[in-house]
Amino acid sequence: MTTMPRFTPEVKNESDINFSALFGMLIDYKWQLLSVIGIFAALGIGYAVLATPMYSSNAMIQIELEKKGVTRLTDQSTGMPPPMPEAVTEIELLKSRSVIGKAIENLKLDIEVKPRYFPLIGNFVARRFEPQNDTDVASPLLGLNSFAWGGEKLVIDQLEVPDSNLDKPMKLKVEDNQNFTVFNADDEVVLHGGLGQPVSNAGYQIKVATLQARPGTEFTIMKKRFSKTIQEYQGRIVAGERGKMSGIIGVGLQDPDPLKAQAIVQEVADIYVQQNIDRNAAESTQSLEFLRAQIPVVKSDLEKAQSALNYYQTNKKSVDIDSETKGVLEQTVALDNQISELNLKRTEMDRKFTRQHPAYQALMSQLGQLQAERAKLQKRVEVLPETQQELLRLNRDIEVTGQTYALMLNKAQELEVIRAGTVGSVRIIDNANANVDDPSAPNKPLIIAVAIILGGIVGLAIVYTRHTLRRGVETPEAIEQIGLPVYASIPYSKNQADTTKVLGTKKPGESSLTALTHPTDLSTEALRSLRTSLHFAMIEAKNNILMISGPSPGVGKSFVSSNLAAVIAESGQRVLLIDGDMRKGYLHKLMNTKQQDGLSDLLSGRIALNDAIKKTEVGSLDFVSCGQFPPNPSELLMSLRFTTVLKKFSELYDIVIIDTPPILAVTEAGIIGSHAGTSLIVARFGVNSVKELEATKRRFDLNGIPLKGVIFNAVERKASNYGSYGNYHYSYEQNAKS
């Protein structure tokens, strides 16, 4: 039975290349991608667990129509019902500085107090502390007394600092017996006092109402600028209409302390409603004060008019007005009453509107029409007898003044009722409430999901960038496109990598050649295939000398040279392996021999030919080490002795393999290549770029050395490359005996 390797190509459809390459890229970098996703997921989980929970408090306010029974002086001027207040306007009023500022002042929100927690986990540990009673304080972990670990409380009733220290954090340290010390932003002691006692010094003042903490515990305190605090809470408080044109406003706030959030929302709602009531009551009060100031004046005018009429009638012997004059009087009184009422309303409007306001303009137009009619009546009065004119004037003054006086008394009574019964146009439907058991933020599932998605996006970006920036060739076709045939693709050998790690620590007799220690390794099988290819490639060569070089160090020249020599020797041929790298050669370590008495010693004439040849563990494989590192390796190779030595080696062996330094680094490969019948280079998967291989080919061409081809070393299985040159499955065929 004979066993032969067979490579079966599986060619994929061209239309699937892009998709398979993309999918293959994800498979190739799956661990990097999963690592990035895992890191982001861990960060998301950590944030979701350690982040301070936020609690929401909400209240609901209704905007109502003004009461129809409540009538102001201006209501009768337009004849229109009072409009419905717009929700947008009320929301702006609710978030105004007057409302928010009053709430901040009442609740002392411009004083910020925070316990000093251990970084990252301190707040989390403190939240998990469950006290047996209200005065319990958690014991410090690891003896870290300066940090708060749960149960600490600090309430400051008053805190004043110089303007230069506003918005600057200060430190309050708890001393023994409920005493404390305050340090400013520069860590200087500015205050020292006890619980419940106001303390002041150099512009600093503090009064602590509650202090519950272990001695040594530190708090961060800060007096914030009042205007800045208003802006902060104007941004934090959320207010919006619940449903279009519903007149229902929802007010909400998030805070780590649910009771604090509830208190702030309730305070803002209460202040807003009270200001609405005060605003409506103030309007009625102003109108009432105006009327109270005018009533005595009108009453005095009425009394004067009555006295003037009595005096005139007494002097004229009870003269009375006739029917014609009486008719003119009634019309004049009616017009004067209307004019007087409109003048009263105009006075009211002067305090509320500008003269360009439409309502004011309409009132003035109506007043002008009445005054024009009055002027016509005045002409009729002028043709009456003098006695009738005077009686008309006196009676008109009494009638007009009397009706005005009665109207003002009625309005004053109405405003008294309005002011006493003012309830405002808004009311609280739902008082502030906070769910202390269910925080509104953070949304842990959402945060973790977003972190995973973000990790996937970042991972894909990293994978795509790495894939795009890869400089090394990964397919034989990329090499063959520059005119260099690929003689063999040697798979990456983990066994060889493990051997290289322990190189130099092998015990005597232990082999370092993968071809001997792992004869079934895929890399060894690939070298056997290379052996067959070289047999036919070297038939027409000028000699049996094979030079193996490479573009750069670290591509695996020594691995290929040594194991190829072992594989050829196993086939029964006499093989000589020469370490031609007289600068950094280390083949002697792989062959388990000494570096001395090698090629450099032979070329310098210090040893004879037979002394340079060393036997190896493979019977038909001999080895010549690099020898001592000389100062002039290229000069030694250019000597006539090197030509003579190579000719002698060529006669003694079936094949001579020379491992040389990289061609792009030094010139030795070009010198040795001129003596070799066959020259190959080793290119490493993912390391050497196409430009490096092109430069290597040009260097050989300039030296007049025909480069036979490339050995593609350390090829890795990458799914992204399958679509470009097919999958190759290795299998064995069991053939019958011939």
Side-chain angles (χ1 to χ4, degrees), residues 118 121 139-145 149:
F118 188 81
I121 64 169
S139 300
L141 297 181
L142 304 176
L144 300 172
N145 293 323
W149 298 100

Side-chain angles (χ1 to χ4, degrees), residues 35 76 78 126 161 215 254 270 365 654 734:
S35 298
Q76 297 177 357
T78 58
V161 300
Q254 283 189 339
D270 290 340
S365 176
D654 294 324
Q734 300 293 335

Side-chain angles (χ1 to χ4, degrees), residues 580-585 626 629-630 633-634 661 666-668:
D581 188 354
M582 290 183 289
R583 296 176 185 266
K584 296 181 179 180
C626 61
F629 296 140
S634 58
V666 292
T667 61
E668 282 90 319

